Amino acid sequence: MPDTTPLLLRHHRPFLSFWLARIFTASGFQMLSVAIGWNLYQLTGNVLDLGLVGLVQFAPRLLFMLHTGHVADRYDRRWVSALCQALQALIALSLAIGGATDHVSREMIFILAFLLGASRAFEMPTTQALLPSIVPTALFPRAVAAAQSAQQLATIVAPAVGGLLYALGSVWVYGPTVALYVIACLLMLNLPARQTTLNKGKATLDSLLAGIRFIRSRPDILGAISLDLFAVLLGGATALLPVFAKDILLTGAWGLGLLRSAPAVGALLMSLWLARFPVERKVGRTMFSAVGIFGVATIAFGLSTSFWFSLAVLMVLGAADMISMVIRGSFVQLETPDEMRGRVSAVNGLFIGASNQLGEFESGLTAHWFGTVPAVVLGGIGTLAITGTWMKLFPTLARRDHMHEAPHPSAEATEPARVA
């Protein structure tokens, strides 16, 4: 099978703009995350605060979930994404000014973390729903893998750069992120106008809940996104990386940057493989196997006292997560009508946000109760338990063979099909 990913990047200009925008946005967010985590831990020395900042970033996803999807389906998705990136640039600018004047406080970090979470809550479903409209359907799974490779490429480089720059002072991290977000904003506006019909209906409760009803009527979609929610919620250890870097593996900010980059290295290599050799058969079994490997790698990381072994298992963790992410992202978008993609992506974004930001809070809380290492090991065990349970609860997902098995009716036709 020929590799069409280079063709997408070289000859499909809208996708190239989208791909570059994802690189710059992901780079800005990763550099902000490293700086905020290290800055906050320096200010307070409290591991619970590292979990709280994740909870603060997650809260907007829950508060605005219904509205984010409706905005993505009603308004020009290019402009929604660009405005979200502009807001994130202003957040980075505020932190840069605060760092330059030595006025960054715990309270300020939490307030800006909430605004960062709010902007990303609107950005995520919008960009997810935008991608299917700029690439041919036949190339969509490859485009998902290629888009993920862009994000992972940024995730590899940006945290390490952020950690190194932070050693020179926080302003050296916050300042460049402003430029990264501005460039991403301009690239997003460079995309062609959306060709499909926008949803001009009013933001009624019925229309806002349409995405939830659609997901509940599709057991495979519900099983896939809920698997990600609970598996990563329990198995995620990202929020505790500053503790591992400083107190267990005995490295500094540079080590934290490398630890944050390691999962992305594995994810990038896997995304490049999937872009050339997409998963076309036994997608359900492959996805569950990948989540199980994620859990085993989490346990290995928690027990490790070697910096280099920790980097290796984090790479395996990232590669396994990428397999699950590409499979889930591809078939969820392919089986959702375009006029519903914003609202479905908003619900999916809530699950992803819960697994990441809420997972950071869970990690910080369990580390506060039981200790850092036991918290990570127990989380990995929980991921394995969830994987086995979900295979029993969603047998059709476990047996699923193809990404897109059959076309579904339009959103309007699926509206009355409500699951009690």
Side-chain angles (χ1 to χ4, degrees):
M1 183 179 293
D3 182 6
T4 57
T5 302
L7 181 65
L8 275 172
L9 295 178
R10 288 198 305 266
H11 302 296
H12 204 287
R13 293 185 62 184
F15 180 75
L16 177 60
S17 294
F18 181 91
W19 189 80
L20 291 173
R22 298 316 303 154
I23 286 182
F24 290 116
T25 300
S27 297
F29 177 70
Q30 291 297 327
M31 290 175 68
L32 272 182
S33 297
V34 169
I36 286 175
W38 196 262
N39 202 344
L40 184 62
Y41 195 54
Q42 279 188 325
L43 284 173
T44 68
N46 188 347
V47 67
L48 184 58
D49 280 342
L50 297 176
L52 288 174
V53 76
L55 180 62
V56 168
Q57 287 191 59
F58 168 72
R61 292 187 187 274
L62 183 61
L63 293 174
F64 307 130
M65 178 195 70
L66 297 176
H67 299 283
T68 57
H70 199 275
V71 166
D73 285 336
R74 186 171 187 181
Y75 300 103
D76 191 323
R77 290 169 181 165
R78 301 170 306 155
W79 281 96
V80 175
S81 296
L83 288 173
C84 291
Q85 289 152 4
L87 175 58
Q88 291 170 74
L90 291 176
I91 293 169
L93 180 61
S94 300
L95 287 166
I97 295 173
T101 58
D102 198 24
H103 282 87
V104 176
S105 64
R106 177 178 181 270
E107 292 73 20
M108 177 184 179
I109 288 177
F110 281 129
I111 292 172
L112 292 178
F114 180 86
L115 294 176
L116 180 63
S119 62
R120 287 176 59 80
F122 281 89
E123 180 189 18
M124 180 177 289
T126 304
T127 53
Q128 285 182 347
L130 182 61
L131 181 58
S133 67
I134 63 175
V135 295
T137 300
L139 299 180
F140 184 68
R142 295 177 183 268
V144 172
Q148 289 296 333
S149 74
Q151 184 160 334
Q152 299 307 324
L153 177 63
T155 307
I156 293 169
V157 178
V161 172
L164 291 172
L165 290 177
Y166 195 91
L168 302 175
S170 62
V171 177
W172 289 90
V173 183
Y174 296 132
T177 59
V178 177
L180 291 173
Y181 279 122
V182 170
I183 294 173
C185 177
L186 295 175
L187 286 168
M188 195 61 66
L189 292 176
N190 190 49
L191 293 175
R194 186 181 178 192
Q195 300 299 317
T196 52
T197 303
L198 292 170
N199 175 21
K200 295 296 185 180
K202 294 182 179 180
T204 63
L205 181 61
D206 186 67
S207 68
L208 293 174
L209 293 174
I212 296 176
R213 292 200 302 272
F214 182 87
I215 290 173
R216 292 182 64 190
S217 69
R218 302 293 190 275
D220 284 6
I221 295 178
L222 175 61
I225 64 176
S226 60
L227 172 67
D228 178 78
L229 166 65
F230 291 106
V232 180
L233 173 66
L234 295 175
T238 303
L240 301 178
L241 289 182
V243 183
F244 276 92
K246 185 175 184 293
D247 300 331
I248 297 175
L249 302 176
L250 305 178
T251 66
W254 67 272
L256 172 61
L258 291 177
L259 288 172
R260 288 190 67 97
S261 297
V265 172
L268 174 63
L269 295 176
M270 182 56 66
S271 66
L272 294 175
W273 175 269
L274 293 174
R276 182 163 186 171
F277 304 104
V279 178
E280 296 179 340
R281 300 295 302 273
K282 299 179 180 179
V283 296
R285 182 185 303 176
T286 302
M287 183 178 66
F288 277 107
S289 298
V291 176
I293 294 172
F294 179 91
V296 172
T298 299
I299 296 172
F301 173 74
L303 296 174
S304 172
T305 56
S306 165
F307 178 70
W308 299 109
F309 181 75
S310 296
L311 289 177
V313 294
L314 285 175
M315 287 177 61
V316 173
L317 182 149
D321 190 41
M322 176 55 60
I323 296 172
S324 172
M325 189 185 309
V326 169
I327 292 175
R328 183 180 66 253
S330 296
F331 85 74
V332 168
Q333 292 293 339
L334 287 173
E335 296 206 349
T336 303
D338 184 68
E339 64 270 23
M340 289 278 295
R341 283 189 176 125
R343 284 165 286 179
V344 170
S345 295
V347 180
N348 189 25
L350 175 67
F351 279 60
I352 294 173
S355 64
N356 293 328
Q357 276 75 50
L358 193 57
E360 291 181 5
F361 173 70
E362 180 271 338
S363 296
L365 188 62
T366 54
H368 181 72
W369 286 344
F370 308 116
T372 302
V373 171
V376 174
V377 172
L378 288 173
I381 294 173
T383 296
L384 294 176
I386 288 295
T387 302
T389 302
W390 254 237
M391 292 181 71
K392 297 293 185 181
L393 292 177
F394 299 94
T396 60
L397 176 61
R399 296 192 301 266
R400 186 181 182 93
D401 195 35
H402 295 89
M403 292 285 188
H404 186 41
E405 296 189 333
H408 288 300
S410 66
E412 289 78 3
T414 60
E415 286 289 316
R418 308 188 186 191
V419 180

